[in-house]
Structure formats: structure tokens, C-alpha cells
Amino acid sequence: MSEQPRDSSAPALFTWEFATDPYPAYAWLREHAPVHRTTLPSGVDAWLVTRYADARKALADPRLSKNPQRHSAAAHAKGKVGIPGERRAELMTHLLNIDPPDHTRLRRLVSKAFTPRRVAAFAPRVQVLTDRLIDTFEERGEADLIHEFAFPLPIYAICDLLGVPREDQDDFRDWAGTMIRHGGGPRGGVARAVKRIRAYLAELIHRKRLELAERRDGRAEEGEGQGERPAAGERSGEGDGEDLISGLIRASDHGEHLTENEAAAMAFILLFAGFETTVNLIGNGVYALLRHPEQRALLQRAVEEGDEGLLAAGVEELLRYDGPVEIATWRFATEPVTLAGQRIAEGEPVLVVLAAADRDPERFGAPDVLDLTRRDNQHLGYGHGIHYCLGAPLARLEAQTAIGTLLRRLPGLRLGADPEDLRWRGGLIMRGLRTLPVTWNSAAE
């Protein structure tokens, strides 16, 4: 690892106290060591990038590879870089771990599921799921918004998008729960959950491939001698009613060179990245609103008056203020790189701290203030460059629907615990609460 002078006044990182409120430590790093060498809890040495300008530059720098094989100490860090279990389950070939040209090819295939039209068409389903979940606890007057609302909503939504049958979705909910509960702790439980998901996805892909083949054979027999051809949407995998896994299979069958492992890895990372970020966005967002009653009242009025513009702007500010992804996923220098005067040697890991960059006073006025009316808000909550989060439009839709519906249906929503008693999940990448107890005046009261 490249040398950097150690500063004894540097704040402690990755403690439980740090997890509760990392922002003072990030402020110190931005001012005194904006590109900071540290040893992570896993024992891996890495560079932390904390200023907005440097972060934006690093996120788009092609010399910083996403491929873990670029790590100079890969033999010593086996199992410590990336998602536990993904290597053994042959799920490494996904968008978070590859560079162009493979990244370009796979992203092009999956992007068809996240077009504005497809996301807009999914909005009624998200609303149905949101209302159904609130129905289960509305009369009770209290709930844990993480486990009863913020967690199941994106799980069921992403399962619908992928094409997981409804009767199997509770299994996915259990596996995903294991990944969230143990994401910052024992890796064995996560690895077992990853293995189960991989086995299920392999079987589901096989089953859907057979179903698609049977439908093609049936159409061929019906159209024999009549020159019948599939509709354009069916040929391209862009049909409005087609689930994402079927679309990936169809694209592969039409010469897009998608291997079965790539298809399974793609479905896996969409599940993994697509649910936990939204869990945290909803949980962190509601928590921030409840801690800032004036901002919550402002948004409450907007929701009651049907002001969707302020709701959308509010979600963007919640993403900036205390977003769901604290640190962007791993990058590795493919050659010597200099950032903020620090020389990063080839093979060294670089971690861009989105949470620190989004509170940089050089970029945002009053960055530690939650302001739902903030106009100039080009935050990095979903990244930047070619690895900008593909599912961001869906996550925004889910967050706007969830938060807006909660405020509309439970207008007396309030914290059900002392903020000092709440605990944040330990982990490197994600930032989210373990629980979020809330209360309100039920209809029975």
C-alpha cells in the first residue's frame, strides 16, 4: 500500500459509534485527509475518497476498475471483497464487478427493464403493494417500519419485476432477510443465503427457458405455411408484459451472448442491490422526516394537496442528506492514479464515500441541514458515470410512493422509541437502521 502520513488526531472509523453518526468523522476527513488510507474491519487496506469533486472524478475514472481480479492482494483478500458467497456461487459476473466491454453489453440488456415507460407502467403495482402492507398494521397504531414495510415492499416489487412466481416470493423474503441481518456480521449466513438464491435462480431460468421454447414451438406450428412472425416486442424482449428474466433469456436466444451464469448473476445483483438500497432509502428517509418536524409538516401538506413536485424533490434531498448507500462499491487502480495529491498504486482498492461527498460544503450550501426545497441537488446518492445505478428510477418510484402513502394514510406518524436507542446495521457499503418503531393514532382510538 502506498505510504501516507498517519495523523493521530484522525477520528476512529467503523466503530458502532461511527455507524450511528459518521458525518463528523467524514467532515474531518474532507478537511484534513480527503483521500485517506485506512484499514477496513475486514483487514483489507483501502483508500477513502470523501470530497465531492474528487468523488465524482473517481466514479467516472476508467483507470479505476470494478473487477476484483485487479486487486493486487486478491489472494490475501479472498472472501473479503464483494458480497459474501458470490464467488463460490459463481455469481461474480454482474454489473458491479465488470468493466467495458462486458459491462456495456450486459447493461444494455438490463436497461430495457428500467425505461421510463416500463417504470411508469409498474407504478400501480407499487401502489397496490404499498397499500396492502399498510393495511396489515394500520389499525394497530404501531409498527416496525423496517421489517413490516420498508423491507417487504422492494422485495415483492423486485420479485415481480424479475418474474419470481408469487408463491416463491416469501422464500426470497427470508433469504434477503438473512443478507440484511448479517450483512455486517457473520458471513456464513449470508453465503448460505446467496447459495440458495443461486440455486433457485438457476432452476427458474431453466424453467422459463423451457416455457419460452414451448411458446415459440406452438407459434411456429400455428403459423406454419402462413408466414407468421413474432411481434417486434417479442423478438427484442421489450414486450410490456414480459418479466426481466424472460427478457434476458430471450435476448440471449437472439444472439446477445448472455451465458447462464451471467443471467443468474444479473438477476441476483438486481435482487441484492435493488431491495436493500430501497429498504434504507425508505427507512432513513422516514426517520429523517420524523427527526425534522418542520420539514415533515411541509411535505405532509404537499402530499395532502397533491404536490408531487415537492415529494420528488424531497426524496432527492433525503437521498443526499442520509442516503441508503454510504460507500460506493469497490474500485481498483489499474495503473498509478493521483487523487487530491495522494498517489494510489496499481492494484490498490479505492472506496468513494458517497455520504461524505454529499455533505461537502464546497458543493452544497448548509450541507448538514435537511431542506426538502433544495434546488441545486446533484447528489451522488446513486453514483455517477457508467456505473450509475440502473434501478434508480424504480427506487425513486418506490420511495415516493411509500413515503407519500405513509404520510397520507398515517398523518400522526411519530417515533416510537428514543433515537438514542435505535441501532444502525454495521457494514461497509450500505447505511440503514435495524429497526424503526413508529406509532400513530389508529382509527380505534
Side-chain angles (χ1 to χ4, degrees):
M1 198 75 171
S2 302
E3 287 301 320
Q4 180 190 38
R6 297 287 185 176
D7 191 326
S8 59
S9 63
L13 304 177
F14 310 117
T15 64
W16 286 112
E17 293 78 12
F18 171 85
T20 299
D21 183 10
Y23 295 103
Y26 288 150
W28 190 96
L29 290 177
R30 278 196 311 267
E31 182 176 356
H32 300 285
V35 178
H36 176 68
R37 180 166 64 94
T38 190
T39 300
L40 305 175
S42 64
V44 175
D45 289 328
W47 293 92
L48 302 181
V49 181
T50 54
R51 287 180 181 168
Y52 182 93
D54 298 327
R56 188 177 171 91
K57 179 180 178 182
L59 290 171
D61 194 329
R63 297 172 299 173
L64 297 179
S65 169
K66 297 289 289 175
N67 188 346
Q69 293 181 359
R70 295 283 194 171
H71 187 192
S72 59
H76 302 289
K78 185 176 181 180
K80 296 182 179 180
V81 174
I83 301 168
E86 65 177 354
R87 187 189 308 272
R88 282 178 289 169
E90 299 183 310
L91 291 172
M92 293 290 290
T93 311
H94 56 67
L95 290 175
L96 296 184
N97 281 347
I98 57 175
D99 304 314
D102 286 334
H103 176 270
T104 307
R105 172 176 59 89
L106 294 181
R107 188 178 177 97
R108 183 180 67 249
L109 291 175
V110 183
S111 64
K112 297 172 183 177
F114 297 100
T115 62
R117 185 178 70 171
R118 288 291 295 271
V119 172
F122 201 54
R125 176 61 181 162
V126 174
Q127 186 65 64
V128 167
L129 289 170
T130 300
D131 284 320
R132 187 176 297 168
L133 289 169
I134 295 176
D135 287 344
T136 64
F137 54 71
E138 182 177 18
E139 295 300 317
R140 201 166 70 225
E142 63 179 14
D144 176 359
L145 274 192
I146 299 298
H147 293 284
E148 297 183 69
F149 184 69
F151 174 67
L153 174 59
I155 276 290
Y156 292 138
I158 199 68
C159 281
D160 279 354
L161 188 71
L162 289 172
V164 176
R166 300 282 168 83
E167 61 269 21
D168 295 340
Q169 292 185 5
D170 284 338
D171 287 336
F172 264 80
R173 179 175 174 169
D174 291 342
W175 297 330
T178 298
M179 294 170 73
I180 277 193
R181 286 192 300 273
H182 300 299
R187 300 170 72 87
V190 180
R192 284 191 293 273
V194 168
K195 186 176 181 179
R196 293 189 182 103
I197 291 173
R198 172 65 174 91
Y200 177 85
L201 289 174
E203 191 276 332
L204 182 61
I205 290 169
H206 177 69
R207 191 188 337 152
K208 285 182 177 289
R209 190 181 293 277
L210 292 178
E211 292 171 355
L212 286 170
E214 289 173 359
R215 287 206 293 271
R216 282 197 302 268
D217 292 343
R219 285 197 300 267
E221 291 178 4
E222 292 174 4
E224 187 175 352
Q226 300 177 26
E228 183 175 318
R229 300 176 63 190
E234 292 180 335
R235 290 196 307 273
S236 65
E238 296 180 25
D240 286 342
E242 185 167 63
D243 64 74
L244 180 54
I245 290 179
S246 295
L248 290 173
I249 294 169
R250 194 186 298 275
S252 179
D253 290 346
H254 283 83
E256 292 283 1
H257 309 297
L258 187 71
T259 69
E260 187 163 306
N261 272 347
E262 287 175 335
M266 188 69 69
F268 167 73
I269 201 60
L270 288 172
L271 171 70
F272 181 81
F275 85 86
E276 190 170 1
T277 54
T278 309
V279 173
N280 294 346
L281 174 54
I282 296 171
N284 296 4
V286 172
Y287 179 63
L289 291 173
L290 296 180
R291 296 294 306 277
H292 296 81
E294 292 183 1
Q295 292 296 301
R296 179 264 179 83
L298 180 67
L299 190 56
Q300 183 90 44
R301 288 194 297 271
V303 168
E304 292 171 353
E305 295 170 2
D307 183 356
E308 296 183 0
L310 185 60
L311 180 58
V315 167
E316 295 308 303
E317 175 67 350
L318 294 171
L319 277 161
R320 183 203 68 82
Y321 180 77
D322 198 11
V325 182
E326 186 170 343
I327 298 178
T329 50
W330 298 80
R331 284 167 167 78
F332 306 91
T334 60
E335 61 183 75
V337 176
T338 300
L339 274 175
Q342 292 295 337
R343 184 182 183 278
I344 300 169
E346 179 179 349
E348 293 184 343
V350 176
L351 294 171
V352 178
V353 187
L354 305 179
D358 281 341
R359 292 215 188 179
D360 188 343
E362 294 296 319
R363 177 59 184 83
F364 301 99
D368 294 321
V369 173
L370 179 68
D371 179 6
L372 302 184
T373 65
R374 190 182 297 271
R375 293 182 179 274
D376 182 14
N377 199 358
Q378 293 182 342
H379 60 76
L380 299 177
Y382 281 119
H384 172 67
I386 64 171
H387 291 283
Y388 181 84
C389 178
L390 194 62
L394 178 60
R396 287 182 165 104
L397 167 67
E398 292 174 347
Q400 290 174 29
T401 303
I403 293 173
T405 306
L406 280 172
L407 294 178
R408 176 170 48 83
R409 293 188 56 178
L410 308 176
L413 193 68
R414 55 189 178 272
L415 275 175
D418 189 313
E420 295 183 358
D421 293 333
L422 298 180
R423 294 292 178 265
W424 296 79
R425 290 194 302 273
L428 185 64
I429 303 299
M430 301 293 186
R431 173 166 173 77
L433 286 162
R434 290 179 178 271
T435 61
L436 182 56
V438 293
T439 62
W440 60 93
N441 297 325
S442 68
E445 298 175 351

